Amino acid sequence: MELGIGIGWRPEIADAVEELPGVDWVEVVAENICPGHLPAALTRLRSRGVKVIPHGVSLGLGGADRPSEQRLADLAERATALGAPLVTEHIAFVRAGGVLTASPQLEAGHLLPVPRTWDALKVLCENVRIAQDALPVPLALENIAALISWPDEELTEGQFLAELVERTGVRLLIDVANLHTNHVNRGEDPSVALDELPVEAIAYVHVAGGIERDGVWHDTHAHPVTQPVLDVLTELRSRVSPPGVLLERDDDFPPAAELSAELTTIRATLAAAAPAGSHGGRSTASGPRGEARAHEGPKACGQVETGRGSSPAPRERVALDQTALLSALVAGTPAPEGFDSRRLRVQSRALAAKRADVVAKVAPELPEIVGAGYRAEYLAYAKSRPMRAGYRRDALDFAEQLLVAGRPADDNARRLLTRWWEERVAPHPPRRSTRLVRAARAALVRR
C-alpha cells in the first residue's frame, strides 16, 4: 500500500496541515481521538481522500502483561471510525508491576525499551498475536528511541525486529530518528540495523527532530530534523523504497512555512538517495542474524508459559526485570545490576519532566493556580509519587498532595485549587449553574 508523504496531525497545527501542499496522509495519536466526535479538520481531510492512520502509545505490547482487551477494543474502534488502512503501535513497555510480581502497578508515562532477549521476544510475539487478532486492520510496530541499554542483551535491534516479523508477520514502522538516537546514546550503528532488519516489511517511516545535550540525544519531536537523521533516511532509501514517510512534530510547533520546508527536504532526500540495489534487506544465514538463529533455532509464536514450581517462566522473568527497572526510574529504588546509573538518572529526570509537561497540558488550570512554582512543586512531588494510573489521575493526586501539605501558600490559590480538585473527584460533576457561581466568586476574589 503506497502512502506517499505525510505529517503527524496535531490539533495545534490542524489549520496548517489542511493548507500544506503535497500531504498525502496524516497520522493521529489514537488515544487523543474520540471516535464519536472526530475533529472537523480531520473529517475535512478524509473527505478530500487523505488517509488517516491511528498511532497508539499506551498498549505496551513489549510489557510482561498480555495487552488489555479494553485498550485493544478502543484502538480497533478508532481504526474503524477513521477508515484507516492499518494501525501502528510501539515495541515498548509503558507499565510494570501488578499481578505477575505481586507489587503495585507502576506507569512510566513514556515508551521504555524492551530487553532484546529471547524471553522478551517470546512475550512480545504472543502479545502481538493477541493484538493482531483483535484489530480489524493490519498492525505495524515502531522501533523506539532509548536513553538506556539493558545489560546482557542476546540480539541486536535488527535481529530482534527480523525475528519478530518472521514469527508474527507484523509490519514495521521504522523511525530513522530513533535509529540515530540509539546510535548516539547506545553506540548502535544504524547501517547495521538496516542491514539486519527485513526492509520488505516496512509499512512506513517516521522522521523527527531532536537535540543533543551533554552527549545524550533527546528525541524531542520539538526541534527541526537534523542532517544526521536525514542521512539515516538516505541509508534506508538505498535499501528500499518505503511506502510512506511521515514528519513527526509534537511540540514547539513552527510556522506552516517551516513545516512545508521540512517536508520538501524529506522529498529531496528520498529523490537523491540511490535506489534499492546491492543491499537486499535481510542478512543471509552467514551474517549476524543467521548466527543468532543458529543459537536459538526457529520458534513458533505460541502461548508463552507462565511460571510453575520454583523456576519463573518468560512472562514472570520479564515482569521482574521490567518492574525493577521502572521502579528505579520512578520510585527511587536502587538501580538494577548491570545498568548505567548515570543514564538511569538522566532517564528518570526526563520521565519526571515529561510528566510535568503532560499534566500541564491535560490540566492547564494547575499551572495557572499554582503559578510560577508549578514545575518545581510537581518535580518534587514526582520524586516520591510514581504514576499509578493515567495523567488525569496524576493531576488529581498532585493537587491533593499540595493541599494536604497546606500549599500553595497563597490563601486564594489554595481555595481555587481546592475547588478545582473537589469538582473533579466528586461522584457527580457540579451543575453548570454551580460552576458559573464558583467562577464568578473566584473572579471577585482575584480583584
Side-chain angles (χ1 to χ4, degrees), residues 85-387:
L86 75 159
V87 297
T88 58
E89 247 286 354
H90 299 82
I91 302 169
F93 77 100
V94 297
R95 60 189 66 86
V99 175
L100 286 173
T101 58
S103 63
Q105 187 172 80
L106 302 174
E107 291 279 342
H110 189 67
L111 302 164
L112 294 176
V114 174
R116 297 171 193 152
T117 62
W118 295 109
D119 274 353
L121 178 65
K122 291 171 185 174
V123 171
L124 173 63
C125 282
E126 184 183 353
N127 289 348
V128 168
R129 284 286 177 85
I130 292 170
Q132 288 172 319
D133 289 344
L135 295 170
V137 292
L139 172 67
L141 295 181
E142 178 180 355
N143 59 304
I144 71 162
L147 290 174
I148 54 179
S149 297
W150 284 84
D152 303 322
E153 291 192 313
E154 299 167 311
L155 300 117
T156 65
E157 178 154 31
Q159 291 167 353
F160 193 84
L161 294 176
E163 289 287 344
L164 173 65
V165 169
E166 184 165 323
R167 295 174 183 221
T168 66
V170 75
R171 305 291 300 283
L172 295 176
L173 192 181
I174 295 300
D175 190 314
V176 294
N178 291 349
L179 290 177
H180 172 67
T181 301
N182 293 343
H183 171 62
V184 176
N185 295 347
R186 308 204 286 188
E188 298 172 355
D189 188 341
S191 296
V192 172
L194 291 173
D195 280 341
E196 292 177 340
L197 66 84
V199 292
E200 70 276 9
I202 294 176
Y204 62 89
V205 172
H206 273 174
V207 181
I211 188 170
E212 187 171 345
R213 289 193 296 266
D214 301 323
V216 175
W217 186 267
H218 297 268
D219 181 45
T220 63
H221 293 196
H223 293 83
V225 177
T226 62
Q227 187 58 48
V229 171
L230 294 173
D231 290 343
V232 181
L233 179 62
T234 296
E235 285 274 354
L236 185 148
R237 177 63 187 89
S238 73
R239 293 156 171 78
V240 71
S241 178
V245 179
L246 180 126
L247 172 65
E248 279 192 299
R249 188 83 177 215
D250 291 315
D251 207 352
D252 225 2
F253 298 100
E258 290 185 29
L259 292 174
S260 180
E262 287 206 286
L263 290 171
T264 297
T265 299
I266 289 170
R267 292 188 189 95
T269 299
L270 293 168
S278 58
H279 297 85
R282 296 189 185 219
S283 301
T284 64
S286 61
R289 182 169 172 258
E291 292 171 7
R293 287 199 58 79
H295 168 73
E296 172 67 7
K299 298 281 185 174
C301 188
Q303 184 174 2
V304 178
E305 292 181 11
T306 54
R308 295 179 180 85
S310 59
S311 177
R315 280 196 185 275
E316 283 74 10
R317 290 194 291 267
V318 171
L320 290 169
D321 290 344
Q322 292 182 347
T323 301
L325 173 59
L326 185 52
S327 182
L329 291 174
V330 303
T333 58
E337 184 178 356
F339 281 93
D340 183 328
S341 296
R342 185 183 71 86
R343 283 295 175 91
L344 287 187
R345 288 193 294 272
V346 172
Q347 180 72 83
S348 181
R349 289 194 296 269
L351 291 178
K354 180 177 180 178
R355 280 176 68 185
D357 291 341
V358 177
V359 164
K361 287 183 178 181
V362 301
E365 303 87 354
L366 287 179
E368 295 174 5
I369 295 171
V370 178
Y374 162 77
R375 193 168 188 84
E377 290 276 18
Y378 185 88
L379 293 178
Y381 152 83
K383 284 183 180 179
S384 59
R385 300 294 175 114
M387 187 162 63

